[in-house]
Amino acid sequence: MSGFSQGCRNASLLFRELQAHGYQGSASPVDRYIRLLRKGSIAPPPPRPTPKPRKITAWIMTHPDNLRPDHALDLTQVREACPELDATFRHVRSFATMMRDLRGDRLPAWIDAVPEEDLPHLHRFAHGLRYDLDAIIAGLSVPWSSGQAEGQNTRVKLIKRQGYGRANFDLLRKKILLRD
């Protein structure tokens, strides 16, 4: 498609190209639009708004294979515009890879690499990891999880809250055991 932005100023040629792409309207709106573009009375489209911090955080925290292509492009543009965010991105992704691949042995090197950047919040996080380093390395290295036990705790708390003020311990015990 040659298009106006590529230098084509012929309205009838642009109209035929638009028809080839499925446009079913008449030629007059295309002709009027081209005349306005020639006069310069139509401003270029405004730049895309900067994404909200929450959206950028979601993009960073999403696995690269699950990120939509347009979001990946937006994330790349944001990273290019902000070196601190790019450094944060690299550290977060390497930590996520360490967690996913159960490579707790890489944690000390990751902690040592964080202070090289000017990222105070990440510095505090890395510093806090040093207090219980052996347990964290073990947690990042073994495939076991306490998820099942935590799920049961959550279920019991939900049942307890549902009967708040109306049920005694005997009913709570029966509901938990019978999985109502």
Side-chain angles (χ1 to χ4, degrees):
M1 182 171 184
S2 57
F4 188 87
S5 61
Q6 280 78 29
C8 180
R9 303 292 192 259
N10 185 333
S12 61
L13 178 62
L14 288 174
F15 174 68
R16 285 194 297 273
E17 287 184 23
L18 288 171
Q19 279 184 318
H21 286 281
Y23 177 68
Q24 296 179 358
S26 69
S28 59
V30 177
D31 188 46
R32 267 189 310 233
Y33 189 73
I34 293 296
R35 272 190 262 127
L36 291 172
L37 283 173
R38 286 183 186 144
K39 288 181 189 175
S41 59
I42 294 180
R48 292 177 64 187
T50 304
K52 303 270 188 240
R54 184 173 287 203
K55 180 141 318 253
I56 295 171
T57 302
W59 294 339
I60 290 172
M61 300 304 288
T62 301
H63 190 280
D65 296 342
N66 299 333
L67 200 58
R68 291 186 359 207
D70 56 327
H71 291 166
L73 179 63
D74 290 342
L75 179 59
T76 301
Q77 291 172 347
V78 169
R79 288 178 55 202
E80 289 171 354
C82 180
E84 292 85 6
L85 190 62
D86 183 53
T88 302
F89 170 84
R90 285 184 280 110
H91 288 298
V92 168
R93 282 285 169 92
S94 65
F95 191 84
T97 302
M98 193 173 19
M99 285 176 39
R100 185 190 64 233
D101 298 341
L102 300 176
R103 296 299 311 257
D105 57 314
R106 295 181 182 172
L107 184 63
W110 184 87
I111 292 172
D112 292 340
V114 169
E116 296 172 6
E117 310 283 349
D118 185 25
L119 305 167
H121 297 297
L122 209 52
H123 290 182
R124 282 196 293 273
F125 175 70
H127 183 72
L129 293 176
R130 291 184 191 275
Y131 287 111
D132 207 3
L133 190 61
D134 293 336
I136 296 169
I137 289 174
L140 291 174
S141 301
V142 297
W144 304 300
S145 168
S146 62
Q148 183 66 26
E150 292 299 326
Q152 293 300 325
N153 288 341
T154 303
R155 184 180 69 83
V156 168
K157 288 177 184 179
L158 175 66
I159 293 170
K160 180 182 168 193
R161 286 185 191 115
Q162 287 172 339
Y164 180 76
R166 296 185 305 264
N168 60 17
F169 181 74
D170 293 333
L171 181 61
L172 176 64
R173 182 174 179 272
K174 285 179 185 174
K175 283 183 144 303
I176 291 171
L177 293 176
L178 296 174
R179 292 184 180 235
D180 277 341

